[in-house]
CSV table of all heavy atoms in Angstrom, one decimal:
chain,number,residue,atom,x,y,z
I,80,ILE,N,1.9,-7.9,-13.6
I,80,ILE,CA,2.5,-7.1,-14.7
I,80,ILE,C,3.8,-7.7,-15.1
I,80,ILE,O,4.5,-8.3,-14.2
I,80,ILE,CB,2.7,-5.6,-14.4
I,80,ILE,CG1,3.6,-5.5,-13.1
I,80,ILE,CG2,1.3,-5.0,-14.2
I,80,ILE,CD1,3.9,-4.0,-12.8
I,81,PRO,N,4.2,-7.7,-16.3
I,81,PRO,CA,5.4,-8.4,-16.9
I,81,PRO,C,6.7,-7.6,-16.5
I,81,PRO,O,7.5,-7.2,-17.4
I,81,PRO,CB,5.3,-8.4,-18.3
I,81,PRO,CG,4.4,-7.2,-18.6
I,81,PRO,CD,3.5,-7.0,-17.5
I,82,GLY,N,6.9,-7.4,-15.3
I,82,GLY,CA,8.1,-6.7,-14.8
I,82,GLY,C,8.0,-6.2,-13.4
I,82,GLY,O,7.1,-6.4,-12.7
I,83,ARG,N,9.1,-5.6,-12.9
I,83,ARG,CA,9.2,-5.0,-11.6
I,83,ARG,C,9.5,-3.5,-11.7
I,83,ARG,O,10.4,-3.1,-12.5
I,83,ARG,CB,10.2,-5.8,-10.7
I,83,ARG,CG,9.9,-7.2,-10.5
I,83,ARG,CD,10.9,-7.8,-9.5
I,83,ARG,NE,10.7,-7.2,-8.2
I,83,ARG,CZ,11.5,-7.5,-7.1
I,83,ARG,NH1,12.5,-8.4,-7.3
I,83,ARG,NH2,11.3,-7.0,-6.0
I,84,LEU,N,8.8,-2.7,-10.9
I,84,LEU,CA,9.1,-1.3,-10.9
I,84,LEU,C,10.4,-1.0,-10.1
I,84,LEU,O,10.5,-1.6,-8.9
I,84,LEU,CB,7.9,-0.6,-10.4
I,84,LEU,CG,8.0,1.0,-10.5
I,84,LEU,CD1,7.9,1.3,-12.1
I,84,LEU,CD2,6.9,1.7,-9.7
I,85,ARG,N,11.3,-0.2,-10.7
I,85,ARG,CA,12.5,0.1,-9.9
I,85,ARG,C,12.8,1.6,-10.0
I,85,ARG,O,12.4,2.2,-11.0
I,85,ARG,CB,13.7,-0.6,-10.5
I,85,ARG,CG,13.7,-2.1,-10.3
I,85,ARG,CD,15.1,-2.8,-10.6
I,85,ARG,NE,16.1,-2.2,-9.7
I,85,ARG,CZ,17.4,-2.6,-9.7
I,85,ARG,NH1,17.8,-3.4,-10.6
I,85,ARG,NH2,18.2,-2.1,-8.8
I,101,ALA,N,11.7,2.8,-13.7
I,101,ALA,CA,11.8,1.9,-14.8
I,101,ALA,C,10.9,0.6,-14.5
I,101,ALA,O,10.8,0.3,-13.4
I,101,ALA,CB,13.2,1.5,-15.1
I,102,LEU,N,10.3,0.1,-15.5
I,102,LEU,CA,9.7,-1.2,-15.4
I,102,LEU,C,10.6,-2.2,-16.1
I,102,LEU,O,10.8,-2.2,-17.2
I,102,LEU,CB,8.3,-1.2,-16.2
I,102,LEU,CG,7.5,-2.5,-16.0
I,102,LEU,CD1,7.1,-2.6,-14.6
I,102,LEU,CD2,6.3,-2.5,-16.9
I,103,VAL,N,11.3,-3.0,-15.2
I,103,VAL,CA,12.3,-3.9,-15.6
I,103,VAL,C,11.7,-5.2,-16.0
I,103,VAL,O,11.0,-5.8,-15.2
I,103,VAL,CB,13.4,-4.1,-14.5
I,103,VAL,CG1,14.4,-5.1,-14.9
I,103,VAL,CG2,14.0,-2.8,-14.1
I,104,PRO,N,11.9,-5.7,-17.2
I,104,PRO,CA,11.2,-6.9,-17.6
I,104,PRO,C,11.6,-8.1,-16.7
I,104,PRO,O,12.8,-8.3,-16.5
I,104,PRO,CB,11.8,-7.2,-19.1
I,104,PRO,CG,12.2,-5.8,-19.5
I,104,PRO,CD,12.7,-5.0,-18.3
I,105,ALA,N,10.7,-8.8,-16.3
I,105,ALA,CA,10.9,-10.0,-15.4
I,105,ALA,C,9.7,-10.9,-15.6
I,105,ALA,O,8.8,-10.9,-14.7
I,105,ALA,CB,11.1,-9.6,-13.9
I,106,PRO,N,9.5,-11.6,-16.7
I,106,PRO,CA,8.4,-12.4,-17.0
I,106,PRO,C,8.1,-13.4,-15.9
I,106,PRO,O,9.0,-14.0,-15.4
I,106,PRO,CB,8.7,-13.1,-18.3
I,106,PRO,CG,9.8,-12.3,-18.9
I,106,PRO,CD,10.5,-11.7,-17.8
I,107,ALA,N,6.9,-13.4,-15.4
I,107,ALA,CA,6.5,-14.3,-14.4
I,107,ALA,C,5.4,-15.2,-14.9
I,107,ALA,O,4.6,-14.8,-15.7
I,107,ALA,CB,6.1,-13.6,-13.1
I,151,TRP,N,3.5,7.2,-19.6
I,151,TRP,CA,4.2,6.1,-20.4
I,151,TRP,C,3.1,5.4,-21.2
I,151,TRP,O,2.1,5.0,-20.5
I,151,TRP,CB,5.0,5.1,-19.4
I,151,TRP,CG,5.4,3.9,-20.1
I,151,TRP,CD1,6.1,3.8,-21.3
I,151,TRP,CD2,5.1,2.5,-19.7
I,151,TRP,NE1,6.3,2.5,-21.6
I,151,TRP,CE2,5.7,1.7,-20.7
I,151,TRP,CE3,4.5,2.0,-18.6
I,151,TRP,CZ2,5.6,0.3,-20.5
I,151,TRP,CZ3,4.5,0.6,-18.5
I,151,TRP,CH2,5.0,-0.2,-19.5
I,158,GLY,N,10.6,-0.3,-28.7
I,158,GLY,CA,10.0,-1.7,-28.9
I,158,GLY,C,10.4,-2.7,-27.9
I,158,GLY,O,10.2,-3.9,-28.1
I,159,GLN,N,11.1,-2.2,-26.9
I,159,GLN,CA,11.5,-3.2,-25.8
I,159,GLN,C,10.4,-3.5,-24.9
I,159,GLN,O,9.5,-2.6,-24.7
I,159,GLN,CB,12.7,-2.5,-25.0
I,159,GLN,CG,13.9,-2.3,-25.9
I,159,GLN,CD,15.1,-1.8,-25.1
I,159,GLN,OE1,14.9,-1.5,-23.9
I,159,GLN,NE2,16.3,-1.6,-25.7
I,160,PRO,N,10.4,-4.6,-24.2
I,160,PRO,CA,9.3,-4.9,-23.3
I,160,PRO,C,9.2,-4.1,-22.1
I,160,PRO,O,8.2,-3.9,-21.4
I,160,PRO,CB,9.5,-6.4,-23.0
I,160,PRO,CG,10.9,-6.6,-23.3
I,160,PRO,CD,11.3,-5.7,-24.4
I,161,GLY,N,10.4,-3.5,-21.7
I,161,GLY,CA,10.5,-2.7,-20.5
I,161,GLY,C,10.3,-1.2,-20.9
I,161,GLY,O,10.0,-0.8,-22.0
I,162,TRP,N,10.6,-0.5,-19.9
I,162,TRP,CA,10.4,1.0,-20.0
I,162,TRP,C,11.3,1.7,-19.0
I,162,TRP,O,11.4,1.2,-17.9
I,162,TRP,CB,8.9,1.4,-19.9
I,162,TRP,CG,8.7,2.8,-19.4
I,162,TRP,CD1,8.7,4.0,-20.1
I,162,TRP,CD2,8.4,3.2,-18.1
I,162,TRP,NE1,8.4,5.0,-19.4
I,162,TRP,CE2,8.2,4.6,-18.1
I,162,TRP,CE3,8.2,2.5,-16.9
I,162,TRP,CZ2,7.9,5.3,-16.9
I,162,TRP,CZ3,7.9,3.2,-15.7
I,162,TRP,CH2,7.7,4.6,-15.7
I,163,SER,N,11.8,2.9,-19.3
I,163,SER,CA,12.6,3.5,-18.4
I,163,SER,C,12.6,5.1,-18.6
I,163,SER,O,12.6,5.5,-19.8
I,163,SER,CB,14.1,3.1,-18.5
I,163,SER,OG,15.0,3.8,-17.6
Side-chain angles (χ1 to χ4, degrees):
I80 58 175
R83 298 186 64 183
L84 192 69
R85 293 195 62 182
L102 186 66
V103 181
W151 168 51
Q159 298 180 355
W162 153 80
S163 178

